Amino acid sequence: MMSTDAQAAIARLRDSGLLKSKGLVGGKWVDSYDGKTVQVQNPATGDVIANVPCMGKRETDDAISSAYNTFYSWSKRTASERSKCLRKWYDLIVSHKEDLALLITLEQGKPLKEALGEVSYGAAFIEFFAEEAKRIYGDIIPPTSSDRRLFVLKQPVGVVGAITPWNFPLAMITRKVGPALACGCTVIVKPSEYTPLTALAAADLALQAGIPPGALNVVMGNAPDIGDSLLQSTQVRKITFTGSTAVGKKLMAGSANTVKKVSLELGGNAPCIVFDDADLDVAVKGSLAAKFRNSGQTCVCANRILVQEGIYDEFANALTKAVQNLQVGNGLVEGVVQGPLINEAAVEKVEKFVNDATSKGANVILGGKRHSLGMTFYEPTILGNVNSEMLVSREEVFGPVAPLLPFKTEEEAIKIANDTNAGLAAYIFTKSIPRSWRVSEALEYGLVGVNEGLISTEVAPFGGAKQSGLGREGSKYGIDEYLELKYVCMGNLEA
């Protein structure tokens, strides 16, 4: 039996018109051509929220044709016209903030307060790129002879395939679609089959904002078939993906046949380094935010907390007290700050990592098992005396597990931190300004937070080094990923 809270939330979403359960192709809401559907479940309860189309190659091919046919007219609109559409989209997202947050909590599980934060964060990308649309400047190059003029144009790359994950079902879409639409590209979004409803609601608001039919399409369901269709099409000129490194490598390889532009934001293994000269309160607060946001299900989560020996015991005790106060439960319930993991496989992965660590000498300081609430809830966990040989240090746990690794010197911390193929985010806690500079520069990561655990913002470039991806999202740098440079040489101007 569905809870009263969930029933009320679904009724509210139906009344608002934002509970869409069909795909969007060419401005039309469509079912899968063979009638197959996939269930969208609330991970906190197992309740089925909706059935959505299980789409595949044929639907994706039609979405590509629609995007391709719309590209010419959309890209020819003035920057100011595109900017106004995006601004209206931003306004609509903000005015439906509570409904979108409800939708995120229902299908993804994160607490409502956190979901509201995601809506604000996601909307900020649309606002930023609405403004940036008007700032795509070219260049005039001093010519090599007097009868020539040389200039550089920046033009939209074309049709974009955007493949997005379940952990931030709105923000990962707006961070890609915002800049794409701003510069004149058209887009096919393939959201996660776990969280398609937020994508569909956002797309509906885009249509209401005046973004033309075909400029933004949403298909979901059979991920391999949809992916293959996007990769094989010569009309799709760019793939942008947020997700696992393994899938990112497949998309990169698959893009080679048609030489597509690729942006990849892949897995992380973020070190959080707490030096013995850190402000303990700041370090605990920052580590808590970096580790336990979204129940540890973010790619920039602190995956390894490296603590200098001189402060190790004190930090471990303080972090334990803070984590003990984290209320676990259904995200619709007031006061809950830790929701469920996305599915059973996610819980089994966390169990595997914790068992591996304890079998190799780590000790469970707090938690370490499934929560008494059942379903996919897992206790917020702290592991002590972890080392670099354990799975929890080598791979992303993607759950509410904080492994503490002791270290002696700054040099050792940098070596441990960089000993991974990942290179997305890293965190440092220290009162020393010289150390902040030294360590920030030495870390092989695309993002570094110093005395701060929440560093993502629309105005700064987001992306990783090494096998954590290619390209940057957000900020003025993020729009370059959707543009081609064209050099024009005009001769015989003196004739």
Side-chain angles (χ1 to χ4, degrees):
M1 182 71 182
M2 191 179 291
S3 72
T4 308
D5 283 347
Q7 285 176 337
I10 289 170
R12 175 175 170 169
L13 290 164
R14 282 209 179 96
D15 289 344
S16 71
L18 285 183
L19 190 61
K20 299 291 181 187
S21 56
K22 295 187 177 187
L24 182 64
V25 176
K28 294 188 174 123
W29 298 101
V30 296
D31 290 314
S32 58
Y33 296 165
D34 60 8
K36 287 182 182 172
T37 60
V38 59
Q39 291 182 339
V40 182
Q41 293 182 311
N42 180 341
T45 63
D47 293 333
V48 176
I49 309 164
N51 290 291
V52 296
C54 185
M55 297 170 144
K57 177 173 170 48
R58 287 194 297 148
E59 295 90 343
T60 308
D61 287 346
D62 284 351
I64 292 168
S65 296
S66 170
Y68 185 76
N69 293 334
T70 309
F71 171 70
Y72 184 81
S73 58
W74 177 245
S75 63
K76 290 297 177 233
R77 288 202 190 186
T78 65
S80 176
E81 287 171 332
R82 291 196 300 271
S83 173
K84 281 172 185 165
C85 287
L86 285 168
R87 181 71 208 192
K88 282 181 189 167
W89 190 18
Y90 163 77
D91 290 337
L92 284 168
I93 290 172
V94 171
S95 67
H96 289 86
K97 184 175 173 178
E98 284 77 14
D99 290 334
L100 288 166
L102 264 182
L103 202 46
I104 290 170
T105 297
L106 281 172
E107 68 173 347
Q108 197 274 334
K110 69 178 63 173
L112 194 54
K113 185 178 177 185
E114 210 172 304
L116 282 163
E118 182 185 340
V119 178
S120 296
Y121 176 54
F125 287 105
I126 302 299
E127 181 183 37
F128 183 87
F129 287 110
E131 295 160 354
E132 205 64 16
K134 296 179 281 189
R135 300 188 186 101
I136 300 170
Y137 303 123
D139 276 308
I140 302 293
I141 300 172
T144 50
S145 60
S146 61
D147 69 339
R148 290 186 177 183
R149 296 295 180 269
L150 316 180
F151 57 92
V152 174
L153 300 174
K154 289 185 181 179
Q155 295 181 309
V157 67
V159 175
V160 174
I163 302 171
T164 61
W166 50 262
N167 57 343
F168 287 87
L170 179 69
M172 297 303 96
I173 289 172
T174 57
R175 197 161 75 182
K176 298 174 188 304
V177 174
L181 291 176
C183 64
C185 295
T186 52
V187 191
I188 300 104
V189 173
K190 187 260 156 202
S192 166
E193 59 273 23
Y194 300 126
T195 57
L197 302 177
T198 305
L200 296 170
D204 184 43
L205 294 176
L207 283 176
Q208 291 179 37
I211 291 167
L216 175 58
N217 305 271
V218 183
V219 292
M220 73 230 97
N222 187 321
D225 284 0
I226 293 170
D228 286 347
S229 179
L230 292 171
L231 291 173
Q232 290 163 10
S233 171
T234 55
Q235 293 181 338
V236 176
R237 295 306 314 133
K238 177 183 172 69
I239 295 289
T240 173
F241 169 73
T242 296
S244 72
T245 301
V247 174
K249 287 177 179 178
K250 287 179 182 174
L251 292 171
M252 194 174 178
S255 295
N257 286 337
T258 51
V259 196
K260 298 186 199 305
K261 285 187 84 160
V262 179
S263 295
L264 303 171
E265 195 262 280
L266 308 177
N269 187 0
C272 177
I273 308 172
V274 182
F275 289 101
D276 54 15
D277 63 355
D279 181 311
L280 187 67
D281 290 340
V282 170
V284 169
K285 184 183 174 188
S287 300
L288 199 68
K291 173 68 255 183
F292 289 98
R293 185 165 63 114
N294 201 15
S295 300
Q297 300 174 112
T298 86
C299 47
V300 292
C301 266
N303 203 54
R304 300 166 289 157
I305 302 179
L306 283 55
V307 189
Q308 201 158 11
E309 286 181 344
I311 201 176
Y312 181 88
D313 289 336
E314 194 181 357
F315 177 84
N317 290 334
L319 184 66
T320 301
K321 281 181 187 167
V323 174
Q324 278 173 331
N325 293 326
L326 298 177
Q327 188 177 332
V328 180
N330 189 322
L332 295 176
V333 176
E334 185 78 27
V336 165
V337 294
Q338 294 284 284
L341 298 187
I342 189 66
N343 56 24
E344 178 62 23
V347 185
E348 289 173 2
K349 181 182 178 184
V350 170
E351 287 183 317
K352 176 185 171 187
F353 280 38
V354 170
N355 291 339
D356 173 81
T358 54
S359 73
K360 293 174 181 173
N363 60 295
V364 176
I365 297 173
L366 185 70
K369 61 185 186 296
R370 288 175 184 252
H371 200 280
S372 58
L373 286 167
M375 295 302 297
T376 56
F377 291 97
Y378 195 88
E379 292 182 351
T381 296
I382 301 175
L383 300 178
N385 294 309
V386 172
N387 64 47
S388 294
E389 302 311 307
M390 298 171 185
L391 263 179
V392 77
S393 295
R394 308 305 308 166
E395 300 174 28
E396 261 185 315
V397 65
F398 233 62
V401 179
L404 305 185
L405 289 77
F407 72 89
K408 289 187 173 69
T409 66
E410 182 181 305
E411 293 71 26
E412 184 190 4
I414 292 166
K415 185 178 177 186
I416 293 169
N418 286 339
D419 182 23
T420 171
N421 287 329
L424 189 55
Y427 306 90
I428 308 163
F429 291 91
T430 175
K431 286 180 188 167
S432 166
I433 293 174
R435 173 174 272 164
S436 297
W437 280 104
R438 281 195 310 271
V439 179
S440 294
E441 291 176 2
L443 289 170
E444 297 167 351
Y445 290 83
L447 315 163
V448 179
V450 181
N451 296 324
E452 180 55 67
L454 297 175
I455 58 175
S456 301
T457 167
E458 76 279 6
V459 301
F462 188 103
K466 297 196 279 189
Q467 290 185 32
S468 282
L470 301 169
R472 292 296 180 267
E473 295 188 319
S475 82
K476 66 174 185 177
Y477 304 102
I479 208 159
D480 289 341
E481 304 287 337
Y482 298 89
L483 294 165
E484 293 281 18
L485 290 182
K486 179 183 284 183
Y487 155 57
V488 179
C489 170
M490 300 180 72
N492 293 307
L493 293 182
E494 293 183 351

